C-alpha cells in the first residue's frame, strides 16, 4: 500500500451494517457510508490500520478505489447554435435514430412522469432542448456545486433520452421525461468507482425509475458495484449501461466492460444506420440489446448540437424506450417490463439472441 501522503482510498463491504466507529477509532478518514448497501469508503494511511480493519469478522470484502472514465468515443461534428439542426419543419428535427426506435410512428407516450438519472459528466442545464425536462441532480465529485456538464458527453446522452418538443433543435426518445444529472465524472470524463456507487445510491434515494450509465470500468467486476446495482434493481430501478467501445473488428471475444457486464445491468451494443453492429461495439454473452450509436446528432453544451458515435449513444436510446414502456405500463413490475422490452426488439440475426446485438434493435 505504501505510506505516501494522505494514504489510500478503499471500499469496505460488510455483512450487515457498516462500522464507522471502528474505522474512526483506528484513525481512518471515513468519506462515505452506504445507505442501501453495507459499505464504506475510507482513506487508510498505514498497513497497521489495514491489518486491524481486516480482523473484523463482519468484513466481507476490501478493494482499493479505482479510477473510471468515459469510453473513448468519436466526436464527428459540432453544429453552431445559429444553424443548430434547424430544418423547414417548424424548426425541429426527429433524427433518423429516434425514428428508428419509435418505428417511425406518432407518439402516444412521451415518458411523462418517469425519472431518469444520467450518471455521467453532468448536464448543460441551460440548453433550450433540455431545460424544460431537467428536474434536478447532484454533483458527487464536487459536493455542493451544481452538476453542470463541462465535458459534453452527459448533455449529448440526455438529448437522445429526453430532448423536449419545443419547436427547436431535436426531439428525444421520451420528450417529456424527467431528467436528473448525477455527476460522477469531471470535465476530462474521469471519476472513481466509489463515486459511481454513490451516484447509484443517490438514484435509489431519489426514486429514479431508470439509471443510465456510460462508463468504462474494465473487465473485473467490483463486488460493491454488483451489490449497488443489485439493490437498485431489487427496488425496481432499471440500470442501463453502455457495453463499451473496445470491440474487435471481427466481433469476436468478450469485450463488454463494467458496469454493463455486471449482472442485472442492461448491456447495450451500438448499431450503424444500416442496423449492423458498429465496428467498435463491444461483444459478448452479456450484451442484452442494441440501438443506434453511429453519427447520432444530439444536444451539446453552449446551445449547440453534435454528432457522436459510441455505445453511450446506444444506451441512451434504451433508457428513453424504457421510459416509454414505464409510462405505458405504470403498474407493471421490473421483470415484466424487461420482458416487454426484449419481446418488442427487432431481431437482427436468424439465430435469435447473439453476442453482437443481444435480443436485437430496441423498439417501442
Amino acid at each position: 500500500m505504501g505510506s505516501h501522503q494522505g494514504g489510500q482510498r478503499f471500499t469496505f463491504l460488510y455483512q450487515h451494517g457498516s462500522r464507522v466507529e471502528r474505522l474512526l477509532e483506528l484513525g481512518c478518514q471515513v468519506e462515505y457510508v452506504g445507505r442501501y448497501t453495507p459499505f464504506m469508503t475510507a482513506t487508510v494511511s498505514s498497513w497497521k490500520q489495514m491489518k486491524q480493519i481486516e480482523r473484523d469478522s463482519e468484513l466481507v470484502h476490501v478493494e482499493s478505489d479505482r479510477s473510471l472514465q468515459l469510453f473513448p468515443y468519436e466526436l464527428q461534428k459540432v453544429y453552431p447554435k445559429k444553424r443548430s439542426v434547424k430544418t423547414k419543419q417548424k424548426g425541429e428535427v426527429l433524427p433518423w435514430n429516434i425514428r428508428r426506435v419509435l418505428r417511425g410512428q406518432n407518439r402516444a407516450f412521451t415518458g411523462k412522469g418517469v425519472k431518469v438519472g444520467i450518471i455521467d459528466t453532468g448536464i448543460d442545464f441551460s440548453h433550450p432542448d433540455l431545460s424544460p425536462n431537467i428536474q434536478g441532480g447532484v454533483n458527487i465529485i464536487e459536493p455542493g456545486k451544481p452538476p453542470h456538464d463541462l465535458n459534453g458527453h452527459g448533455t449529448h446522452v440526455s438529448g437522445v433520452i429526453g430532448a423536449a418538443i419545443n419547436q427547436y433543435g431535436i426531439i428525444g426518445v421520451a420528450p417529456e421525461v424527467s431528467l436528473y444529472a448525477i455527476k460522477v465524472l469531471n470535465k476530462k470524463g474521469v471519476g472513481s468507482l466509489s463515486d459511481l456507487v454513490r451516484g447509484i445510491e443517490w438514484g435509489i434515494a431519489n426514486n429514479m425509475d431508470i439509471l443510465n450509465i456510460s462508463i468504462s470500468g474494465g473487465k473485473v467486476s467490483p463486488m460493491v458495484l454488483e451489490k449497488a446495482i443489485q439493490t437498485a434493481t431489487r427496488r425496481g430501478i432499471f440500470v442501463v449501461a453502455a457495453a463499451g467501445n473496445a470491440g474487435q473488428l471481427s466481433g469476436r471475444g468478450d469485450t463488454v466492460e463494467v458496469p454493463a457486464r455486471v449482472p442485472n445491468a442492461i448491456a447495450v451494443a451500438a448499431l450503424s444506420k444500416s442496423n449492423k453492429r458498429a465496428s467498435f461495439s463491444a461483444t459478448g454473452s452479456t450484451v442484452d440489446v442494441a440501438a443506434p450509436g453511429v453519427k447520432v446528432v444530439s444536444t451539446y453544451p453552449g446551445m449547440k448540437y453534435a454528432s457522436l458515435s459510441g455505445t453511450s449513444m446506444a444506451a441512451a436510446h434504451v433508457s428513453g424506450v424504457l421510459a416509454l414502456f414505464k409510462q405505458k405500463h405504470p403498474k407493471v413490475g421490473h421483470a415484466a417490463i424487461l420482458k416487454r422490452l426484449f419481446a418488442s426488439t427487432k431481431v437482427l440475426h436468424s439465430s435469435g439472441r447473439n453476442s453482437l446485438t443481444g435480443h436485437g434493435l430496441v423498439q417501442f
Side-chain angles (χ1 to χ4, degrees):
M1 187 168 68
S3 56
H4 57 276
Q5 200 60 44
Q8 196 173 328
R9 197 198 262 177
F10 290 87
T11 296
F12 301 95
L13 192 61
Y14 291 90
Q15 219 152 353
H16 301 102
S18 51
R19 316 279 268 206
V20 189
E21 290 77 12
R22 176 85 184 114
L23 263 67
L24 290 173
E25 228 169 71
L26 293 169
C28 303
Q29 192 184 332
V30 176
E31 285 159 39
Y32 183 73
V33 181
R35 284 178 64 177
Y36 302 95
T37 307
F39 85 96
M40 284 165 44
T41 300
T43 299
V44 179
S45 50
S46 69
W47 275 117
K48 196 176 160 201
Q49 276 180 343
M50 188 53 109
K51 282 278 165 280
Q52 286 173 294
I53 296 166
E54 284 174 343
R55 286 197 193 113
D56 191 337
S57 59
E58 277 281 297
L59 186 65
V60 178
H61 190 70
V62 183
E63 49 201 318
S64 60
D65 198 12
R66 53 183 160 112
S67 175
L68 303 175
Q69 59 278 322
L70 287 175
F71 298 110
Y73 61 92
E74 214 180 317
L75 171 60
Q76 253 102 14
K77 190 169 181 186
V78 176
Y79 301 90
K81 60 183 172 192
K82 284 193 261 324
R83 278 187 51 224
S84 76
V85 201
K86 288 206 169 185
T87 62
K88 294 187 181 73
Q89 3 152 210
K90 275 197 180 164
E92 200 166 22
V93 184
L94 187 65
W96 71 268
N97 46 292
I98 307 286
R99 273 203 308 274
R100 180 79 42 95
V101 297
L102 296 176
R103 303 174 198 265
Q105 65 191 10
N106 290 335
R107 30 171 106 248
F109 297 95
T110 55
K112 196 173 176 62
V114 180
K115 297 164 92 169
V116 182
I118 322 278
I119 298 183
D120 214 296
T121 58
I123 304 177
D124 178 1
F125 278 43
S126 59
H127 200 292
D129 251 343
L130 300 176
S131 54
N133 293 338
I134 296 172
Q135 302 300 322
V138 64
N139 189 335
I140 302 282
I141 46 177
E142 290 185 281
K145 287 195 173 174
H148 292 326
D149 183 10
L150 305 173
N151 173 282
H153 189 273
T155 299
H156 195 273
V157 164
S158 302
V160 174
I161 296 171
I165 299 175
N166 58 356
Q167 313 301 314
Y168 184 93
I170 61 156
I171 303 172
V173 179
E176 288 192 292
V177 78
S178 295
L179 297 171
Y180 292 81
I182 304 174
K183 180 169 173 148
V184 301
L185 301 172
N186 65 17
K187 63 172 178 247
K188 291 191 170 123
V190 176
S192 68
L193 171 63
S194 58
D195 288 342
L196 171 56
V197 173
R198 286 172 69 169
I200 293 168
E201 287 227 322
W202 188 92
I204 298 170
N206 290 276
N207 304 312
M208 294 297 119
D209 296 301
I210 298 158
L211 290 173
N212 186 93
I213 313 175
S214 329
I215 289 175
S216 163
K219 292 282 202 61
V220 182
S221 188
M223 200 186 276
V224 66
L225 184 60
E226 288 191 2
K227 273 265 193 286
I229 289 175
Q230 188 186 5
T231 305
T233 310
R234 255 210 314 269
R235 287 167 174 259
I237 301 171
F238 295 95
V239 178
V240 178
N245 300 344
Q248 299 188 40
L249 217 52
S250 64
R252 292 202 183 94
D254 178 4
T255 50
V256 177
E257 291 192 45
V258 168
R261 66 185 295 128
V262 171
N264 298 313
I266 302 164
V268 186
L271 298 172
S272 67
K273 200 169 182 175
S274 57
N275 273 353
K276 297 272 186 289
R277 167 199 162 241
S279 58
F280 55 77
S281 185
T283 56
S285 58
T286 48
V287 171
D288 290 301
V289 285
V294 176
K295 295 186 179 165
V296 170
V297 173
S298 182
T299 45
Y300 210 62
M303 291 171 72
K304 298 187 178 93
Y305 294 83
S307 169
L308 265 63
S309 295
T311 50
S312 302
M313 287 67 247
H317 288 82
V318 176
S319 292
V321 169
L322 273 169
L324 302 180
F325 274 111
K326 189 89 180 141
Q327 185 193 6
K328 187 178 181 181
H329 307 286
K331 301 225 170 352
V332 169
H334 187 275
I337 285 186
L338 213 47
K339 212 169 160 180
R340 282 182 164 88
L341 179 81
F342 295 155
S344 72
T345 57
K346 179 188 174 97
V347 179
L348 301 174
H349 285 264
S350 49
S351 60
R353 184 173 178 179
N354 65 77
S355 63
L356 303 181
T357 56
H359 291 273
L361 166 70
V362 159
Q363 292 190 307
F364 179 65

